[in-house]
Amino acid sequence: MQLEHYNDSVQENHRQAREDARALGAFEAWIDGGSRAAASGETFDTRDPVVDDPILSVPRCDEADVDAAVEAAWDACDGEWGQTTPEERSRTLQEWVSVLRDHLDELALLESLDTGKPLAYAEGEVTKGLDFIEYYANICRAEGGKQIAAANDAHIYTRREPYGVVGCVTPWNYPLVLTSWKIGPALAAGNAVVLKPAEQSPLTALRIAELSEGILPDGVFNVVPGFGDEAGASVTGHPDVRKVSFTGEDVTGEAVMSAAAENITPVTLELGGKSPFVVFPDADVEQAAETVAGSITYNTGQSCDACSRAIVHEDVRDEFVERLVEEVESHTIGDPLAEDTTFGPLVSRAQYDKVNSYLKLGVEEGATLATGGGSVEGEGLDGGWFVEPAVFVDAENDMRIAQEEIFGPVETVVTFSTYEEAIELANDVPFGLAAGVATENGSLAHRAAADIDAGSIWVNKYYGRTVTGSPFGGFKRSGMGRECARDTLTSYTQEKTVHVPIEQDPTL
Ligand code: NAD
């Protein structure tokens, strides 16, 4: 597929791109190694946020479809897949990744159309997502149990065994990457998966399932598109799902945890954030401002770990704000299919309304809008969910704009005068996903990294890039468990201890 051919008007580009997308696959639910409609026959539209037109209709799965997917997944576990060695699984997953890489362009197009992210960024994210699957395909061969040297009259060892069927539920902001974070380790560990992708962005999940045909045995990977309270809740509350891995909002995480608790199902929860970036007075202020601007505007601010609160020393506040505003205003806002676009629309009408309500709220709360908040001008952009990236200054940390996850391109700048105050402000939110510290003083950076309650701390540069193999996850309301890490593979297995007596006087 040629991606360069979208160089007409926005409307025409998107009409053509949607047509191209529809031709790529069936985009039905994927259950037991094949495409199928929802048992109810119901469908829903996934929409293009640039022009707000439907891209295509996908099955609206519910409990009946989830039951079928879970059953197929158990059949896979009880059959051929359950007997595979790590080496065999490694080769199978690598073959799949290789096929997916051959379809990189089309996966990037689907991701961009579904979410509104610039095509070039979508391509980078798909590449990264596939790398995560490959990583787990590689390291699963090194996974093993241990021997317990506690007794002379027994050989005691442990085995790491898959749970069986794992239920995964994902959000819309990085659809393929976040899917890979879950299915990579889950499948490499020998589980079968039932995945419920976000209703806003199911296309790449459905397409990679289609591209697993003839590679993954039937039932190993199932995708049930649909809504959270239907398909999603059916996955997370299913009595035959033995592990749940969820990424989404903290309040949804509560519901997921409660549903899983009924079956005593272990959960990994990757939830929201309100991450601080602390700028100390000795920092490279220009670099700090660039870093904050990049973090809050990448993916139109729809990143769980975006540093949405800049906590800036009063001595460097003016310089920082000036530079931050310049950086934020330097984006090329436009059609994600255009080559020079660096900033696309929000994912949906709901997200657009939410972000705009916070822009209004910030002003009502008494913060000053230093830039942004207006409507986006540009030919063909009127029908999309575009917002200007915004910076609030003169804010207090107890304002709702500084406490709640807006999940859009809205930065809130708060000032401090002492180290203790900076740390107190940084920690004074319900979340603890990520944080950044900017300083030229190495000791200060390490001290702050220890004092801030967050799962990831970035020193000086905060590019939100999750490095394969480095743990990612939250403190406090940002969740539990870690993804992307080597140990994540282990978290998709359960430990069994085997005790074998050793005769003290063996008869020969
Ligand atoms: P969301 O919680 O609304 O939805 C996430 C998924 O859960 C969707 O697939 C949805 O259909 C499903 N869902 C909704 N209700 C459900 C229920 N009762 N039972 C089971 N599933 C249900 O979140 P969203 O708006 O799609 O995504 C944005 C959120 O995700 C933000 O809070 C963001 O910070 C968070 N996020 C976290 C990480 C991380 O790694 N910590 C990464 C990306 C996004």
Side-chain angles (χ1 to χ4, degrees):
M1 169 183 289
Q2 292 297 309
L3 292 179
E4 303 85 62
H5 67 279
Y6 302 116
N7 47 20
D8 210 316
S9 68
V10 174
Q11 285 290 341
E12 177 52 25
N13 284 347
H14 281 259
R15 190 201 58 71
Q16 180 64 49
R18 289 196 302 275
E19 202 171 286
D20 288 347
R22 286 179 201 128
L24 290 173
F27 298 101
E28 299 277 27
W30 188 262
I31 297 174
D32 202 15
S35 286
R36 58 170 92 163
S40 65
E42 297 281 325
T43 61
F44 67 99
D45 287 339
T46 167
R47 303 187 80 81
D48 176 347
V50 176
V51 288
D52 195 35
D53 280 333
I55 306 169
L56 37 78
S57 293
V58 298
R60 179 174 174 166
C61 292
D62 62 17
E63 195 179 350
D65 307 294
V66 172
D67 283 347
V70 171
E71 195 180 327
W74 270 117
D75 285 349
C77 293
D78 293 338
E80 186 190 344
W81 185 248
Q83 297 303 314
T84 51
T85 62
E87 182 186 348
E88 287 162 343
R89 285 198 297 280
S90 175
R91 289 194 200 292
T92 300
L93 290 172
Q94 297 204 40
E95 187 187 344
W96 187 33
V97 168
S98 164
V99 168
L100 297 178
R101 285 200 176 118
D102 291 343
H103 292 77
L104 177 67
D105 285 358
E106 65 176 69
L107 291 170
L109 175 66
L110 293 170
E111 200 81 319
S112 173
L113 271 183
D114 242 2
T115 61
K117 60 181 77 209
L119 195 50
Y121 297 5
E123 195 174 339
E125 289 171 21
V126 171
T127 303
K128 189 70 197 161
L130 301 184
D131 184 56
F132 275 108
I133 302 178
E134 186 174 56
Y135 171 70
Y136 289 106
N138 285 328
I139 67 168
C140 72
R141 295 179 67 175
E143 182 78 339
K146 42 184 188 283
Q147 191 212 330
I148 317 295
N152 289 330
D153 58 351
H155 171 43
I156 307 173
Y157 65 96
T158 63
R159 292 164 52 84
R160 302 278 355 170
E161 297 186 357
Y163 280 98
V165 176
V166 172
C168 303
V169 178
T170 50
W172 44 262
N173 58 335
Y174 295 103
L176 187 64
V177 170
L178 299 177
T179 294
S180 303
W181 286 10
K182 297 182 186 313
I183 67 171
L187 295 175
N191 301 283
V193 165
V194 177
L195 167 71
K196 206 298 280 176
E199 51 272 37
Q200 298 86 348
S201 58
L203 298 183
T204 45
L206 293 170
R207 188 67 189 129
I208 65 168
E210 289 176 358
L211 293 169
S212 73
E213 189 167 16
I215 300 172
L216 298 181
D218 294 352
V220 168
F221 180 48
N222 306 275
V223 185
V224 284
F227 293 94
D229 54 354
E230 297 171 358
S234 301
V235 170
T236 56
H238 202 292
D240 296 330
V241 165
R242 295 286 156 75
K243 173 170 169 92
V244 165
S245 182
F246 171 80
T247 301
E249 270 192 61
D250 57 333
V251 284
T252 319
E254 283 179 33
V256 166
M257 205 171 166
S258 300
E262 301 222 343
N263 302 306
I264 320 285
T265 307
V267 291
T268 296
L269 298 177
E270 292 285 1
L271 309 177
K274 193 73 185 177
S275 301
F277 190 88
V278 181
V279 184
F280 288 105
D282 68 327
D284 176 338
V285 175
E286 184 169 334
Q287 178 180 268
E290 277 172 24
T291 296
V292 170
S295 162
I296 197 63
T297 56
Y298 186 82
N299 208 32
T300 317
Q302 301 162 118
S303 301
C304 50
D305 59 348
C307 53
S308 48
R309 290 183 303 141
I311 298 176
V312 186
H313 192 270
E314 56 196 7
D315 289 354
V316 293
R317 180 264 184 208
D318 290 353
E319 185 189 350
F320 176 83
V321 169
E322 189 182 334
R323 197 74 193 96
L324 176 65
V325 168
E326 267 173 40
E327 278 295 319
V328 159
E329 288 177 349
S330 71
H331 273 287
T332 305
I333 306 178
D335 179 5
L337 297 181
E339 211 176 326
D340 56 348
T341 295
T342 59
F343 188 94
L346 293 161
V347 74
S348 64
R349 168 88 207 219
Q351 201 60 22
Y352 175 84
D353 290 344
K354 180 178 176 192
V355 170
N356 278 303
S357 75
Y358 275 104
L359 289 169
K360 196 163 155 261
L361 176 70
V363 175
E364 284 165 10
E365 286 184 306
T368 307
L369 209 41
T371 186
S375 55
V376 171
E377 308 290 330
E379 203 169 328
L381 305 182
D382 314 350
W385 308 123
F386 290 91
V387 291
E388 279 184 336
V391 175
F392 276 116
V393 295
D394 307 329
E396 299 296 333
N397 204 54
D398 60 358
M399 290 178 177
R400 283 181 55 200
I401 54 163
Q403 288 289 314
E404 298 173 15
E405 186 185 42
I406 299 173
F407 218 50
V410 184
E411 184 68 26
T412 301
V413 181
V414 174
T415 53
F416 72 91
S417 50
T418 65
Y419 175 82
E420 288 69 26
E421 192 190 354
I423 300 302
E424 197 181 316
L425 289 167
N427 288 336
D428 184 22
V429 282
F431 300 104
L433 188 58
V437 292
T439 173
E440 297 293 296
N441 178 336
S443 296
L444 179 59
H446 287 295
R447 189 177 155 203
D451 287 343
I452 295 175
D453 298 333
S456 295
I457 308 280
W458 304 87
V459 177
N460 288 327
K461 292 208 169 184
Y462 189 118
Y463 36 78
R465 183 166 62 85
T466 311
V467 179
T468 317
S470 64
F472 184 81
F475 282 26
K476 302 194 283 187
R477 279 188 77 84
S478 291
M480 61 180 69
R482 294 293 177 267
E483 295 196 302
C484 309
R486 198 205 174 297
D487 290 349
T488 306
L489 182 68
T490 314
S491 77
Y492 283 93
T493 62
Q494 47 196 344
E495 192 165 44
K496 178 183 278 178
T497 309
V498 182
H499 303 253
V500 184
I502 296 179
E503 296 296 332
Q504 290 305 300
D505 187 16
T507 316
L508 295 177

